[in-house]
């Protein structure tokens, strides 16, 4: 196969390894270059389990390459939110119907499964410990560096930049004219903590829920792992009230958690150590355009559109990108520039929509999920959805349990909200008219 026909995927993370499978299956020659060591080798990623939620969009993308059932077999279904009050009271809010669940999966486990599947296509060699440093789009060359700083220059037909939120391929595109780019950091960061399995095995909390400790302005969440543990994530401001800045020693940590998340503390025996040994990371939204350089290079997943994690959609959206890019390449065989253009034109507004939704959902999760108005609205939506399941669909259901493109889901939800408000107003006027009529009859 000629060099010009070959694809090089930069980044062997979730999007990169899935895209490589799609490309391999479509008959393209494809190489993956990944900065990190092979995660399947002992010791490469021996940290505690970090998980993420995969829902309908991600599962669909996996199904197309025959991996859905394998992923579900290593997932813990979460059927709703479990809200933890400071009193220790628990409230369960289902996400949808009983058979609707988002699935907590080990990130490392998922990545390894995808890398294995990519290599199994027999068309996808994966080169580890290769950090992309320079991309020459005109000549189709990429310079990689190994950990010892040994440089390798490769020639390729097309580059798929799947190297994540801090993408080097994107940085190289930014040197070109008229590349639009923005990155916006939240004032909040995150840190992962740990709840181990119960002494005799099994879970210490309900495994089939995404646990939330909403505290107004900040929160903690916990997702179950297959081994009976939970990965907790605190989302706090870097500075100011209730922030990372305020806790400087182990006593501070235990005191603050006991006051704020009292029911969680007995479940977290290594809390103070974890708090200081685990990193505090930032949360960024990245928007950019164009996503491609002619038919030479295209961005995918977080490299094109990193979003904050509050809708649990970053990886799902990255997987959905792979489905679409595969379709675009098949619709325009031999014309990668047309395929990449179509990919961006179709996808960009939906990527922007999920970025906005994810930002909005942070406020919902940390501030609103426990409020009576929020709960009432959810109940009304659920009731109407059960009466008109094909017509009225709550936004969360459209995003997590359907493949309705994100921006279309937002638009439909806006119309539904208007309808709800109008219906509420009409009901109120009707009620008032009844009261007035009754008063007149009696008086
Ligand atoms: P990445 O997974 O970041 O992969 C990029 C790969 O490129 C990595 O392997 C990296 O090592 C490699 N790389 C980077 N630079 C180079 C280079 N110069 N050369 C070679 N290789 C390079 N999404 C969900 O759908 N559900 C969730 O529940 C969810 N929870 C999240 C929770 C948190 C706290 C965070 C931060 C994110 C969460 N996400 C979630 C988002 C999800 O993690 C990302 O959207 C997803 O990982 C994007 O996949 P990607 O392949 O584009 O990027």
């Amino acid at each position: 196969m000629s060099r010009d026909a070959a694809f090089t995927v930069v980044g062997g993370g979730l999007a990169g390894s899935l895209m490589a499978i799609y490309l391999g299956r479509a008959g393209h020659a494809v190489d993956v270059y990944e900065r990190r060591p092979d995660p399947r080798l002992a010791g490469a990623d021996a940290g505690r389990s970090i998980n993420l939620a995969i829902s309908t969009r991600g599962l669909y993308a996996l199904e197309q390459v025959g991996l859905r059932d394998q992923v579900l077999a290593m997932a813990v279904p979460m059927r709703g939110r479990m809200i933890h009050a400071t009193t220790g009271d628990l409230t369960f809010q289902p996400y949808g119907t009983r058979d609707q669940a988002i699935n907590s999966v080990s990130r490392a486990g998922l990545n390894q499964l995808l890398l294995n599947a990519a290599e199994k296509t027999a068309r996808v060699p994966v080169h580890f410990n290769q950090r992309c440093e320079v991309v020459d789009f005109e000549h189709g060359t990429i310079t990689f560096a190994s950990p010892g700083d040994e440089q390798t220059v490769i020639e390729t037909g097309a580059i798929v930049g799947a190297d994540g939120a801090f993408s080097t391929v994107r940085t190289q595109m930014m040197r070109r004219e008229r590349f639009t780019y923005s990155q916006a950091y939240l004032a909040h960061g995150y840190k992962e903590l740990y709840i181990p399995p119960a002494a005799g095995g099994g879970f210490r909390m309900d495994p089939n829920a995404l646990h939330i400790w909403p505290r107004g302005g900040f929160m903690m969440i916990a997702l179950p792992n297959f081994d009976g543990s939970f990965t907790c994530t605190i989302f706090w401001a870097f500075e100011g009230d209730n922030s990372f800045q305020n806790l400087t020693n182990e006593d501070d940590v235990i005191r603050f958690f006991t006051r704020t998340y009292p029911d969680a503390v007995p479940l977290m025996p290594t809390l103070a150590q974890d708090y200081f040994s685990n990193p505090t990371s930032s949360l960024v939204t990245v928007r950019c355009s164009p996503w491609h350089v002619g038919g030479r290079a295209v961005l995918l997943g977080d490299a094109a559109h990193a979003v904050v994690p509050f809708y649990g959609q970053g990886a799902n959206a990255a997987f959905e990108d792979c489905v679409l890019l595969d379709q675009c390449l098949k619709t325009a065989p031999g014309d990668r520039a047309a395929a990449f253009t179509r990919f961006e034109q179709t996808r960009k507004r939906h990527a922007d929509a999920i970025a906005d939704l994810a930002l909005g959902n942070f406020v919902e999760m940390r501030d609103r999920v426990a409020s009576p108005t929020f709960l009432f609205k959810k109940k009304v939506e659920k009731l109407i959805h059960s009466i008109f399941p094909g017509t009225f669909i709550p936004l969360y259901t459209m995003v997590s349990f359907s493949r309705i493109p994100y921006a279309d889901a937002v638009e439909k939800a806006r119309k539904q909200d208007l309808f709800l408000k109008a219906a509420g107003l009409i009901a109120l006027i009707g009620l008032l008219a009844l009261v007035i009529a009754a008063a007149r009859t009696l008086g």
Side-chain angles (χ1 to χ4, degrees), residues 57-74:
R57 293 165 201 270
L59 289 175
Y60 176 81
L62 293 162
E63 189 172 22
Q64 303 314 298
V65 293
L67 295 176
R68 178 182 186 271
D69 291 346
Q70 283 182 59
V71 171
L72 282 180
M74 60 184 212

Side-chain angles (χ1 to χ4, degrees), residues 51 178 261 299 439:
N51 46 29
R178 298 181 58 222
Y261 314 116
L299 299 174

Side-chain angles (χ1 to χ4, degrees), residues 260-279:
T260 318
Y261 314 116
D263 59 331
V265 174
L267 312 178
M268 304 169 87
T270 52
L271 167 62
Q273 297 95 295
D274 291 347
Y275 185 89
F276 288 106
S277 54
N278 293 349

Side-chain angles (χ1 to χ4, degrees), residues 9-17 33-36 50-55 78 102-103 107 111 127 130-133 144 161-169 190 192 210 221 223 233 235 281-283 300-319 321:
V9 177
V10 178
L14 299 182
S17 44
Y33 285 79
E34 165 58 44
R35 176 182 62 178
R36 294 170 305 168
I50 307 284
N51 46 29
L52 79 178
I54 296 297
S55 45
M78 299 180 289
I102 59 174
N103 303 283
R107 176 189 287 274
N111 204 168
H127 311 268
Q130 294 295 321
R131 189 179 67 247
C132 167
E133 292 203 324
F144 290 100
D163 49 344
F166 304 99
S167 164
T168 302
V169 177
Y190 72 95
E192 274 147 343
L210 188 154
I221 66 169
L223 272 70
T233 313
F235 294 96
S281 307
S282 53
L283 294 162
L300 189 77
D302 277 14
H305 49 74
V307 302
V308 294
F310 304 109
Y311 230 110
Q313 284 294 313
N316 285 286
F319 284 173
D321 284 357

Side-chain angles (χ1 to χ4, degrees), residues 24 69 138 181 263 414 439:
D69 291 346
E138 271 64 46
Y181 173 75
D263 59 331
R414 193 188 61 79

